[in-house]
Amino acid sequence: MAAPEDPRRRRVGLLYDERMCRHATPDGEIHPENPDRIRAIWQKLESEGIPQRCIVLSAKEAEDKYIASVHTQRHVKLIKNISSKKFNSRRLRIASNFNSIYFNKGSSEAASLAAGSLIEVSEKVAKGDLDSAIAIVRPPGHHAEPDEAMGFCLFNNVAIAANFLLNERPELGIRKMLIVDWDVHHGNGTQNMFYKDPRVLFFSVHRFDFGSFYPARDDGSYCMIGEGPGAGYNINVPWEQGQCGDADYMAVWDHVLLPVAESYNPDIIMISAGFDAAVDDPLGGCCITPYGYSLMLKKLMGFAQGKIVMALEGGYNLKSIANSVLACAKVLLEEKPLVGSIEAQPLESTWRVIQEVCHELKTFWPALSVELPQKLLVSCRRPCSIELNLSSSSESTVENDEGASTTLCATNFVDIIEPLSKLNIDEDNHWKAVAPDHIPTKQSSVVLSEECPNAQALMPDKNVDGCTPWRSVLSETEVWYGSYGSNMWNPEFLCYIKGGKVEGMNEPCPGSRDKSSPKDVIWKTVPHRLFFARSLTCRWGKGGVAFLHPESNKNDKAYMCMYRITLEQFNDVLLQENSLHQENGRSQGAGTPLLVLSDIGVAAENKSLPLEALKAGCYSNILYLGEEDNLPILTMTCSCSEIDQFRSGELPVSGPSNGYMNTLVRGLVEGKQITREEAIAYINDAATREL
Ligand code: Q9C
Ligand code: ZN
């Protein structure tokens, strides 16, 4: 035994077992959820001398009967047997029936070791043999449903251990527990397993992005508060966007989680500790620092007499997860107070989400009834729309979830900083204060971090404005063009890129100068009202065309097909949609573009950006609809003042012609969003409901 027993010394369990590395992709394909994750964490802890200060445990396989307390017999059997020889030829096909799952010869053992590890450490913490514990396990668990593997998860490790304590070890006195799921993804499986159970308060904070972030189901919404006796014991905090960091999580801790934990008074806390909301995670798009994680954990240690069990869930940047787990281990071990500070303010959307959650739950938790001080609501930071990919090499490789490698071209330093210098900076120098939190520093030679919080210090001294032909600059920036009208139909949109016309169009499109196809096409829904207005367009002839109400409303839902194109192409589409491509010297070639990089920043700040040069066109207003894969989502619609004119009858409101209607329905159906019947109902509703 190492150090002499100090009675104040915390007994922290640390579980790691190399056998959990045997679960891997069957043919060595690259995958973010890979064995190096737990190895990297363990190596980091070893290099810092952490294991010597902990009680190190190895894994035990979970007994079937314990796993079966949250999973169906069928699922237990499948996962227990999937690695056996007789499944050799069927493993791939079976995996493909699940969402984001792979299996190999090591999967069965690893899955039951992960679940068994959680049982092991939870029992020891509940008994008081340990004060707290960290289980460095994989595969992760929180997406696993009663009868379904999902999202890299085979067995729901935390749920199995929670049920074990409640049902199998009543003598340990664990009658109510709090599960805090801070993985960037919603813990859908865990939520489901305890949805009607008041003995488990499940709290998940996750990216939701209005239902478009993985697992992209509506059960991650704040409306899901539990059912029957479990009503009030399920709390979801669904972020509207990425970029959430320390300040946002602290705001949720202080205004939601801690007040609830205080009144609930749990006997133990289990943390579904994914670290994919960490800064630089390739899947999460958020930016919690190791200091942020240590604060989140420290604040929870004030409850349940410090009985805390942490279970690794996601987290896919090896450095980020290793440093974050290290920070957490130190918190559990050390009696020293934390040092550090949180620079940024919460995002504006964070206060909105907190208010929604509190409103939903205040009848169950009176502590959530307090109004947020007005002063908090006005001091917030705004999201930043431009991906800053400062890299010392010219290319950096990021793995996507499916294992394929995507090569991102690093954006040239000058291209990024120069347009930023045009961003509106308010009197309080808001941008400067906010910059470090927003700027990912991926192996960057230029370090924009706490040591160097002043982005302006890094401005190149030469003003390059005017020297760069706009097309080449804008061709290096990608955006999502979100289409909610006829461009949802792929062949139709391609006319604006490649040129030409499809059936129903009166005149052909000239196409964009850069005729390369969109890099990606994805769908999303947005909380905006779709409606039809105007009565005639050159391209479509008689009938109204689709618009989005520029203001968002959470009761509205519009389908949107998003094309990943360059900002140069976006400009060309914008010109064509406003039929300004022939006249107007600024188009097609020389002159100035309608929308430059810095405009995206302004659009992000204000959500919409009317373009003076287009005010005669019908789509003169750029909407910023958040981001996807760190790229801004832009669309075009009418201006706010036109809404008033449509309402008053000054400008006509009319439904789509049959040809236009057919194109919309075709786009939705071929895009596999909804059935033909649903598409027709959706369009009819948009065309008939009063604005
Ligand atoms: N287009 C955990 O972090 N992504 N799971 C699939 C499909 C799956 C994450 C994307 C992400 C699963 C434990
Ligand atoms: Zn996750």
Side-chain angles (χ1 to χ4, degrees):
M1 271 273 96
E5 281 299 314
D6 172 346
R8 283 173 325 174
R9 198 184 175 84
R10 293 208 175 101
R11 296 170 63 86
V12 178
L14 189 58
L15 187 148
Y16 174 75
D17 200 311
E18 184 69 23
R19 289 175 291 168
M20 285 182 278
C21 293
R22 293 192 203 142
H23 168 64
T25 52
D27 297 305
E29 303 92 336
I30 293 172
H31 196 283
E33 204 295 279
N34 61 62
D36 287 339
R37 297 176 58 238
I38 57 174
R39 286 199 189 107
I41 294 171
W42 186 248
Q43 269 170 24
K44 182 77 189 183
L45 297 180
E46 277 192 319
S47 76
E48 296 272 333
I50 300 293
Q52 294 91 304
R53 300 167 61 195
C54 295
I55 291 114
V56 176
L57 302 161
S58 50
K60 289 202 188 107
E61 288 199 48
E63 284 182 48
D64 290 10
K65 62 176 180 196
Y66 300 143
I67 304 175
S69 78
V70 301
H71 291 291
T72 61
Q73 282 295 350
R74 180 177 92 142
H75 183 69
V76 179
K77 265 177 87 180
L78 176 74
I79 301 301
K80 285 267 172 157
N81 292 325
I82 194 70
S83 298
S84 73
K85 233 178 169 174
K86 69 171 204 278
F87 276 91
N88 276 355
S89 59
R90 286 184 283 158
R91 230 172 263 136
L92 273 178
R93 191 185 49 78
I94 296 174
S96 72
N97 291 333
F98 296 109
N99 171 342
S100 308
I101 287 296
Y102 62 78
F103 299 120
N104 74 340
K105 291 180 180 167
S107 301
S108 299
E109 189 190 24
S112 80
L113 287 170
S117 301
L118 262 298
I119 294 179
E120 174 86 0
V121 297
S122 306
E123 185 175 27
K124 291 201 153 65
V125 172
K127 264 193 189 145
D129 291 350
L130 296 172
D131 292 302
S132 58
I134 305 183
I136 307 162
V137 298
R138 65 181 289 277
H142 72 152
H143 293 305
E145 292 279 0
D147 192 34
E148 196 183 342
M150 178 180 160
F152 317 156
C153 302
L154 304 185
F155 288 143
N156 196 318
N157 311 318
V158 166
I160 291 167
N163 243 359
F164 173 83
L165 292 183
L166 293 169
N167 301 335
E168 307 287 333
R169 292 289 179 271
E171 71 277 14
L172 299 180
I174 304 297
R175 297 207 171 80
K176 45 192 162 110
M177 49 202 303
L178 168 63
I179 299 181
V180 175
D181 187 329
W182 74 41
D183 185 281
V184 78
H185 302 99
H186 177 228
N188 56 283
T190 318
Q191 165 171 302
N192 231 331
M193 288 160 175
F194 300 110
Y195 204 61
K196 298 180 178 169
D197 194 337
R199 300 173 304 171
V200 176
L201 171 53
F202 179 65
F203 172 94
S204 179
V205 51
H206 47 269
R207 266 185 81 175
F208 187 60
D209 299 38
F210 305 102
S212 67
F213 199 77
Y214 190 87
R217 315 189 317 187
D218 50 18
D219 57 354
S221 132
Y222 59 78
C223 306
M224 302 296 285
I225 59 169
E227 213 176 286
Y233 296 92
N234 195 87
I235 304 182
N236 283 326
V237 178
W239 297 135
E240 291 182 4
Q241 57 179 100
Q243 300 172 14
C244 299
D246 298 347
D248 305 284
Y249 282 81
M250 276 306 112
V252 168
W253 256 232
D254 290 346
H255 298 283
V256 185
L257 179 56
L258 303 180
V260 170
E262 172 88 37
S263 21
Y264 183 62
N265 190 24
D267 300 317
I268 192 169
I269 299 178
M270 301 191 66
I271 305 179
S272 260
F275 292 95
D276 40 12
V279 62
D280 286 340
D281 186 275
L283 268 56
C286 292
C287 48
I288 306 180
T289 67
Y291 176 67
Y293 282 114
S294 58
L295 269 184
M296 286 155 64
L297 178 58
K298 183 86 190 177
K299 293 199 177 200
L300 290 173
M301 284 174 71
F303 304 95
Q305 302 151 291
K307 288 185 190 300
I308 292 191
V309 173
M310 294 181 63
L312 182 66
E313 299 278 2
Y316 306 100
N317 177 311
L318 301 185
K319 285 193 184 147
S320 306
I321 62 179
N323 288 323
S324 304
V325 174
L326 172 64
C328 290
K330 287 182 175 169
V331 169
L332 294 182
L333 279 166
E334 279 165 19
E335 45 291 304
K336 274 191 276 174
L338 297 174
V339 281
S341 70
I342 290 173
E343 300 294 330
Q345 301 283 345
L347 289 159
E348 178 198 11
S349 60
T350 291
W351 294 121
R352 183 164 48 245
V353 173
I354 289 175
Q355 284 184 310
E356 286 163 343
V357 173
C358 291
H359 182 74
E360 198 70 36
L361 284 149
K362 63 181 181 222
T363 55
F364 300 96
W365 304 103
L368 302 182
S369 309
V370 294
E371 295 284 318
L372 293 174
Q374 201 55 37
K375 127 168 162 288
L376 289 179
L377 303 179
V378 295
S379 61
C380 55
R381 78 181 203 272
R382 311 225 178 253
C384 164
S385 60
I386 304 162
E387 178 174 27
L388 295 168
N389 193 4
L390 300 172
S391 174
S392 47
S393 62
S394 62
E395 294 191 325
S396 62
T397 301
V398 173
E399 294 152 13
N400 71 23
D401 339 358
E402 259 40 280
S405 289
T406 320
T407 301
L408 301 177
C409 288
T411 315
N412 177 300
F413 179 66
V414 171
D415 288 350
I416 279 300
I417 297 300
E418 185 264 330
L420 285 179
S421 65
K422 295 187 197 155
L423 272 179
N424 282 347
I425 299 174
D426 65 30
E427 301 99 323
D428 297 323
N429 255 340
H430 195 70
W431 164 255
K432 278 202 268 174
V434 154
D437 214 40
H438 281 155
I439 300 177
T441 55
K442 290 171 189 156
Q443 314 99 43
S444 168
S445 60
V446 184
V447 183
L448 296 176
S449 66
E450 302 86 89
E451 302 95 69
C452 191
N454 191 343
Q456 299 229 288
L458 292 152
M459 298 293 179
D461 18 3
K462 263 207 238 127
N463 180 6
V464 292
D465 202 7
C467 310
T468 342
W470 69 268
R471 283 189 173 277
S472 87
V473 175
L474 299 193
S475 70
E476 282 174 35
T477 301
E478 289 186 327
V479 298
W480 291 102
Y481 159 56
S483 126
Y484 51 85
S486 56
N487 281 342
M488 289 189 293
W489 188 42
N490 228 300
E492 140 92 31
F493 174 65
L494 286 178
C495 294
Y496 292 89
I497 299 289
K498 313 265 180 201
K501 65 184 203 130
V502 286
E503 213 192 315
M505 262 187 205
N506 281 335
E507 49 160 26
C509 304
S512 304
R513 195 213 51 141
D514 172 359
K515 303 220 161 12
S516 44
S517 302
K519 302 279 177 307
D520 203 354
V521 185
I522 58 175
W523 287 80
K524 186 181 173 77
T525 58
V526 293
H528 284 262
R529 164 77 198 275
L530 175 74
F531 68 97
F532 293 87
R534 301 205 176 247
S535 52
L536 182 83
T537 55
C538 346
R539 192 154 289 121
W540 293 99
K542 262 189 88 166
V545 290
F547 289 96
L548 268 198
H549 195 299
E551 284 160 16
S552 73
N553 178 337
K554 66 181 194 307
N555 298 320
D556 283 319
K557 170 168 149 180
Y559 290 94
M560 177 160 269
C561 179
M562 309 205 302
Y563 299 94
R564 186 169 177 155
I565 58 176
T566 69
L567 191 49
E568 183 200 11
Q569 290 175 315
F570 185 86
N571 268 282
D572 288 336
V573 173
L574 193 55
L575 287 163
Q576 294 170 74
E577 283 284 23
N578 286 286
S579 300
L580 289 173
H581 46 279
Q582 300 105 333
E583 54 289 359
N584 205 331
R586 43 165 72 248
S587 64
Q588 305 290 313
T592 49
L594 291 162
L595 189 77
V596 296
L597 262 177
S598 58
D599 292 325
I600 300 179
V602 178
E605 292 224 30
N606 304 325
K607 299 287 177 220
S608 74
L609 176 74
L611 294 181
E612 199 52 30
L614 291 180
K615 68 171 187 294
C618 65
Y619 293 114
S620 64
N621 190 14
I622 302 298
L623 290 194
Y624 171 87
L625 297 165
E627 58 170 54
E628 186 71 38
D629 286 334
N630 296 316
L631 298 178
I633 304 170
L634 304 176
T635 190
M636 50 191 88
T637 187
C638 60
S639 65
C640 293
S641 60
E642 282 167 318
I643 292 282
D644 295 332
Q645 294 175 293
F646 292 136
R647 282 214 178 100
S648 70
E650 250 180 280
L651 280 173
V653 173
S654 54
S657 68
N658 285 341
Y660 190 72
M661 165 99 170
N662 283 337
T663 310
L664 300 174
V665 170
R666 217 168 154 174
L668 287 161
V669 174
E670 289 178 20
K672 300 215 169 51
Q673 293 310 293
I674 39 180
T675 65
R676 207 184 138 69
E677 289 63 42
E678 289 169 326
I680 293 171
Y682 166 68
I683 304 294
N684 275 333
D685 174 67
T688 51
R689 200 151 36 92
E690 204 179 294
L691 191 58

